Amino acid sequence: MPLRPLPFGSTSITGGFWLERQRTNRDATIPAAAQRLEEVGTLENFRRAAGTESGGFAGKLFADTDVYKWLEAVAWEQAREPSPQLADWQSGASALVAAAQEPDGYLNTHTRLALGGQRYGDLEKGHELYCAGHLLQAAVAQVRATGDRTLLDVASRFADHLCKTFGPGRLEGVDGHPLIEMALVELYRETGTAAYLELASYFVEARGHGTLTPPGHHGPAYFQDHLPVRDVRTIAGHAVRALYLAAGATDVAVETGDAELLDALQATWQTMVDSQTYLTGGVGSRWYGEAFGDPFELPPDAAYCETCAAIASVQWSWRLLLATGESKYADLIERTLYNAVISGVSLGGDSFFYVNTLKVRHNAFADDQRSAVGGRQPWFGTACCPPNVMRTLSSLDQLVATSDDDGVQVQLYAPASVRMGSIGFDIETEYPWHGTVRVRITATPDTPWTLGLRIPAWADSHRLTINGFEGPLRRVWSVGDEVVLELPVTARRTTPDERIDSVRGCVAIERGPLVYCFEQQDADAVLDETAVVPGELIERDQPGLLGGVTTIEVPARDGTLTAIPYYAWANRTVGPMTVWIREDA
Ligand code: FUB
Ligand code: ZN
């Protein structure tokens, strides 16, 4: 059964693991980005495009998107906890964006400054609609979170221009980097302008007919132009492109009632999860083309797992969760957020991984600034990942719960307060460290409704009580009723699918939703040369380590190895690390 997002502002995370990350995002990451966007010329590009400053274009051709994603994060943050600084950033940067818009609605600083205004000459690589998409998303976030319509006006004029420019009998083609599809659907939802949905639908349908010329040694699958989306069953090509397209196609399928398209997307998602997703939820195993590998091509040491791809996977799963109500989509969201997304940012919030490898070998050689071997970086020449992390963390409250006609479903466990119409409840938990989740009803109608609580796929058992007794979650609730869900957050060993050659004979350690890893600095034996052995896994709460974690001691051939949560690796020194480790029987 389809679900709905809760109306904006219905849910707030009030403490715990995710609030800590949101605070770091707000206090360290977003301010540092404000500085970087000035230092590297990304904001200056808008002044130059508007003609208030002179000079050429700085950065990668899609640099505008770094500002848009950061503005999106700033908007969500203002709704969480407004501040004069956030308001200044928002009004200042939004005014720069608005000033750079051309009279007919078009806006792209690279086109203006580097191409003499020549538009749509390179749909394969130009990223013009990708940039437009991020602007549209920022605009929707801004109006929803703050009521400010500055960017919405800019975005609507740009979208109107796109509707006049693209489509049957007009400019027929698609952008080499999907994103515009889901952005147009979201703008349609915000404004009710049907033409935006029609254009999104056109872009989804026009893809996969070989209209794009692939760059270099790539084939058309690089930008998902090899098969119509409704014929795809195995996701392929550049991972971020593939996932943004899948998310947008899901939006189109839902809004147009296209069951065949939705079925195809669900089947593709299932293949991805069964055979193209790392234990961390990371996706995109190939460095070449930043791409998905074939099924079961999941080498841990050569994993690419771009942070943006993990974020895009969350966005797609969220849409499928809403479209179907199936909790497996929330399971993947949880796994990906805890492991593949936040591994992308340091605990201090000031440096980032672009690539999220699952293994660093001894004497590993860093041959790219994005490599994990060099540790997290303060920024990148291609800076897509950092602001993507920012907007994800600042909008996380929106993923906590969903609703349907029958009630409200909790999808992510965090201390939170939920209030939707006459229904209200507070959640208290120390998740992911401890598995007890308490939900206390704070408001209720006097008619029955269902409180849905997701039982994560990793939980092989659970216990549920209402005011101390077992009973159904559909009932006439009373204020003060307390539901307690107990999930078995204990260390466990996970074995890989035998079809993944590179980790056959290995084991990984998990605890609740967290994937663990071993860092060489915690081991006496050389990680590549040792093996774990059967025996008890000993858990230790370590409040003083890595911002407060539970470590796991694992018996090994040469003594004991200590595992830490994967997301926290490379926060002390950067050295050899592994998620999968050989296991001796
Ligand atoms: O092309 C724009 C972004 O740059 C992609 O989404 C990332 O993978 C990086 O290549
Ligand atoms: Zn990225």
Side-chain angles (χ1 to χ4, degrees):
M1 286 291 289
L3 306 175
R4 297 185 290 270
L6 265 49
F8 182 74
S10 306
T11 312
S12 45
I13 295 174
T14 52
F17 185 92
W18 288 115
L19 188 67
E20 265 176 50
R21 264 128 207 104
Q22 289 185 312
R23 288 204 168 128
T24 303
N25 187 45
R26 175 196 173 83
D27 297 342
T29 317
I30 291 173
Q35 206 178 326
R36 298 275 170 226
L37 291 170
E38 241 0 313
E39 281 166 8
V40 302
T42 317
L43 282 162
E44 182 71 4
N45 284 337
F46 286 90
R47 295 188 193 100
R48 292 177 181 178
T52 53
E53 300 284 344
S54 57
F57 180 81
K60 282 275 155 58
L61 77 171
F62 44 82
D64 290 0
T65 61
D66 301 338
V67 171
Y68 300 148
K69 281 184 271 187
W70 172 77
L71 268 172
E72 187 180 329
V74 167
W76 298 132
E77 272 313 308
Q78 291 216 76
R80 289 194 341 97
E81 213 183 312
S83 80
Q85 175 65 86
L86 288 166
D88 268 10
W89 280 329
Q90 175 165 311
S91 59
S94 299
L96 288 185
V97 171
Q101 186 165 37
E102 301 191 22
D104 66 352
Y106 182 87
L107 170 49
N108 186 293
T109 72
H110 178 260
T111 307
R112 169 105 327 264
L113 298 171
L115 304 179
Q118 176 65 43
R119 303 171 184 176
Y120 309 126
D122 182 2
L123 284 177
E124 279 85 358
K125 298 194 290 305
H127 285 76
E128 288 165 85
L129 302 188
Y130 169 76
C131 292
H134 276 302
L135 168 61
L136 269 48
Q137 290 181 329
V140 171
Q142 187 174 91
V143 75
R144 282 196 193 146
T146 70
D148 183 338
R149 299 181 69 84
T150 309
L151 284 185
L152 190 73
D153 291 343
V154 175
S156 300
R157 277 193 279 132
F158 200 171
D160 293 342
H161 156 83
L162 294 177
C163 290
K164 281 185 210 137
T165 307
F166 285 90
R170 299 187 288 279
L171 177 50
E172 297 190 21
V174 297
D175 193 278
H177 199 310
L179 178 73
I180 189 67
E181 300 80 3
M182 68 169 143
L184 280 166
V185 178
E186 211 51 25
L187 191 63
Y188 155 72
R189 289 176 177 144
E190 186 59 39
T191 61
T193 306
Y196 303 159
L197 175 60
E198 281 158 31
L199 185 60
S201 182
Y202 165 76
F203 284 138
V204 169
E205 295 304 331
R207 205 163 200 98
H209 298 282
T211 62
L212 298 168
T213 307
H217 298 292
H218 297 290
Y222 172 72
F223 27 42
Q224 297 72 46
D225 202 26
H226 59 309
L227 272 179
V229 180
R230 64 182 66 245
D231 295 338
V232 170
R233 294 295 178 275
T234 303
I235 198 160
H238 183 272
V240 182
R241 284 172 168 82
L243 290 159
Y244 281 163
L245 175 64
T250 305
D251 279 335
V252 167
V254 166
E255 294 297 342
T256 60
D258 188 336
E260 183 196 58
L261 182 58
L262 188 59
D263 282 353
L265 289 156
Q266 286 182 259
T268 305
W269 184 92
Q270 196 62 56
T271 309
M272 178 184 87
V273 174
D274 291 345
S275 65
Q276 295 167 290
T277 302
Y278 284 94
L279 186 67
T280 54
V283 277
S285 56
R286 290 187 190 166
W287 275 67
Y288 184 68
E290 307 183 300
F292 277 99
D294 290 330
F296 304 105
E297 181 189 338
L298 292 165
D301 45 358
Y304 196 70
C305 289
E306 181 179 339
T307 305
C308 285
I311 290 169
S313 165
V314 169
Q315 294 175 349
W316 185 24
S317 294
W318 173 249
R319 284 159 173 78
L320 287 172
L321 171 67
L322 294 174
T324 66
E326 291 182 43
S327 63
K328 64 182 181 182
Y329 298 113
D331 287 333
L332 185 66
I333 291 174
E334 176 179 87
R335 175 172 292 277
T336 308
L337 283 172
Y338 274 110
N339 302 292
V341 172
I342 54 165
S343 58
V345 59
S346 64
L347 295 175
D350 56 357
S351 56
F352 306 90
F353 273 142
Y354 188 116
V355 164
N356 292 275
T357 189
L358 276 75
K359 179 177 179 75
V360 175
R361 293 182 176 282
H362 284 263
N363 303 318
F365 173 64
D367 58 355
D368 190 287
Q369 61 145 345
R370 294 169 295 185
S371 163
V373 180
R376 294 183 181 84
Q377 307 287 314
W379 205 247
F380 303 99
T382 298
C384 48
C385 299
N388 226 352
V389 172
M390 294 172 215
R391 66 177 182 153
T392 303
L393 287 173
S394 60
S395 58
L396 205 62
D397 311 60
Q398 298 168 50
L399 304 190
V400 167
T402 52
S403 73
D404 62 11
D405 289 344
D406 191 40
V408 176
Q409 306 80 34
V410 181
Q411 305 290 358
L412 288 185
Y413 293 116
S417 174
V418 176
R419 183 69 203 244
M420 190 194 70
S422 54
I423 293 178
F425 54 86
D426 290 341
I427 308 171
E428 280 171 30
T429 181
E430 291 176 61
Y431 201 85
W433 308 116
H434 299 287
T436 302
V437 179
R438 289 175 197 282
V439 182
R440 193 184 304 272
I441 305 297
T442 56
T444 181
D446 51 15
T447 48
W449 58 278
T450 303
L451 173 67
L453 297 177
R454 179 178 60 92
I455 307 303
W458 57 260
D460 54 9
S461 64
H462 69 276
R463 185 155 181 269
L464 191 68
T465 57
I466 301 162
N467 299 328
F469 300 97
E470 292 185 359
L473 286 168
R474 178 173 170 77
R475 59 176 58 212
V476 179
W477 294 92
S478 302
V479 170
D481 281 348
E482 187 179 71
V483 179
V484 179
L485 172 65
E486 286 176 59
L487 296 167
V489 174
T490 50
R492 61 186 190 275
R493 292 169 195 248
T494 301
T495 48
D497 189 300
E498 293 198 343
R499 287 165 285 188
I500 310 171
D501 307 84
S502 44
V503 291
R504 199 173 295 126
C506 292
V507 69
I509 306 297
E510 295 186 273
R511 186 172 184 272
L514 297 177
V515 174
Y516 276 65
C517 71
F518 301 95
E519 285 196 292
Q520 185 59 61
Q521 62 198 292
D522 296 321
D524 293 330
V526 175
L527 285 179
D528 282 354
E529 293 169 7
T530 189
V532 299
V533 295
E536 194 188 354
L537 302 176
I538 298 171
E539 305 175 358
R540 292 195 197 284
D541 285 344
Q542 310 252 27
L545 181 68
L546 295 165
V549 295
T550 300
T551 57
I552 302 170
E553 289 174 12
V554 188
R557 211 167 48 194
D558 318 280
T560 300
L561 290 175
T562 300
I564 62 160
Y566 169 75
Y567 74 78
W569 90 277
N571 273 286
R572 293 170 292 174
T573 59
V574 184
M577 175 279 294
T578 192
V579 168
W580 295 104
I581 191 153
R582 196 147 49 92
E583 184 180 45
D584 280 355

